[in-house]
Amino acid sequence: MCGAAGGTYGLTDVALSPPGVVPFVALLLLQRRPVAGRALLGTSSACPTNGLCRANVLEQTRRQVALLNATAQDLFSLYLKCQGEPFSSESDRLCSPSGIFFPPFHVNRTTERKEVMVAMYKLFAFLNASLGNITRDQEELNPMAKELLNRLHNTTKTTRGLISNLTCLLCKHYNIFQVDVSYGESSKDKSAFKKKQQGCQVLRKYVQVIAQAARVLLPHLSPA
């Protein structure tokens, strides 16, 4: 239930910043300092030469993507329940994601692995920032919705770990140390209704995209 007991953790507010290229050393901090702009990649010797990747990074990344895919629909359903009416009964109308920004994800199983990894990085960096905004809004609007807040925190934690692993793979295998990522509209100054609506729009789109991401990424993470 929305009011189930559980702990919460503070999240930093996510605000939009001007376009810019993010050096590799800052990639792991993108959930705290998002940027907006067109994707821009670079290759250089700036990648760390050791100590970046865990030995089981591929298997860990596979598990993280599978976990996010397996829990996305439940998170969306719980979110709707905790927002009350009219979201519970009119989700098709209110939560349609057609009008919101989401990073383009035009890759498939035949796409080159490097392109898949870059697209995945931009997708999950966007999702991580969006989850931070949604969690901040829910801590304000539904502070007693402990189960929802816990699930949001756990999803954010998994996403951050996935970003870390994708960063490792991009640098280790492709020497990519800078990526420009795009983010959507901040909900900070919106009304309570608009905050709830933006949250449900993002989470509905998340359910759709994470399923596609899992189908595309998991074959590229096979050990062979």
Side-chain angles (χ1 to χ4, degrees):
M1 298 189 307
C2 290
T8 60
Y9 306 88
L11 292 179
T12 55
D13 182 29
V14 176
L16 297 181
S17 302
V21 179
V22 184
F24 176 79
V25 292
L27 288 178
L28 294 179
L29 301 178
L30 276 174
Q31 63 268 31
R32 297 179 180 271
R33 299 182 62 190
V35 297
R38 293 182 179 179
L40 178 60
L41 305 179
T43 56
S44 169
S45 59
C47 286
T49 57
N50 53 58
L52 181 65
C53 293
R54 296 182 177 89
N56 64 337
V57 62
L58 284 176
E59 178 59 26
Q60 188 177 66
T61 304
R62 284 176 58 87
R63 290 180 180 181
Q64 288 164 332
V65 173
L67 176 62
L68 290 172
N69 186 36
T71 57
Q73 181 60 56
D74 286 345
L75 174 61
F76 175 63
S77 298
L78 181 60
Y79 179 91
L80 288 180
K81 178 180 179 181
C82 292
Q83 306 320 301
E85 294 295 344
F87 293 94
S88 299
S89 60
E90 298 185 50
S91 62
D92 287 344
R93 177 176 66 87
L94 295 175
C95 302
S96 172
S98 58
I100 65 168
F101 169 80
F102 222 82
F105 190 69
H106 306 308
V107 297
N108 54 51
R109 293 191 181 191
T110 63
T111 305
E112 183 184 352
R113 185 179 180 184
K114 175 182 175 180
E115 294 181 34
V116 172
M117 293 294 179
V118 170
M120 289 290 179
Y121 183 89
K122 290 186 285 186
L123 170 64
F124 289 111
F126 170 87
L127 286 173
N128 188 69
S130 297
L131 287 167
N133 281 328
I134 293 170
T135 304
R136 178 206 62 213
D137 292 341
Q138 290 302 301
E139 286 175 335
E140 172 193 340
L141 299 171
N142 289 311
M144 299 306 295
K146 301 302 183 183
E147 182 180 356
L148 173 61
L149 293 174
N150 283 342
R151 291 198 187 191
L152 286 168
H153 285 301
N154 288 337
T155 303
T156 301
K157 182 178 179 180
T158 302
T159 305
R160 286 179 177 173
L162 180 55
I163 290 172
S164 176
N165 286 334
L166 289 172
T167 298
C168 151
L169 292 169
L170 283 171
C171 202
K172 178 180 179 180
H173 294 289
Y174 306 109
N175 206 31
I176 292 177
F177 74 98
Q178 55 185 20
V179 178
D180 201 10
V181 293
S182 300
Y183 290 85
E185 181 180 11
S186 173
S187 61
K188 185 174 182 181
D189 297 321
K190 294 187 176 183
S191 67
F193 181 86
K194 288 295 184 181
K195 288 179 179 179
K196 291 181 178 183
Q197 183 176 29
Q198 183 167 321
C200 79
Q201 289 174 320
V202 170
L203 290 178
R204 168 159 279 183
K205 186 67 174 181
Y206 166 57
V207 171
Q208 298 169 356
V209 174
I210 189 61
Q212 179 188 2
R215 289 193 300 269
V216 172
L217 183 60
L218 293 180
H220 285 278
L221 295 175
S222 298

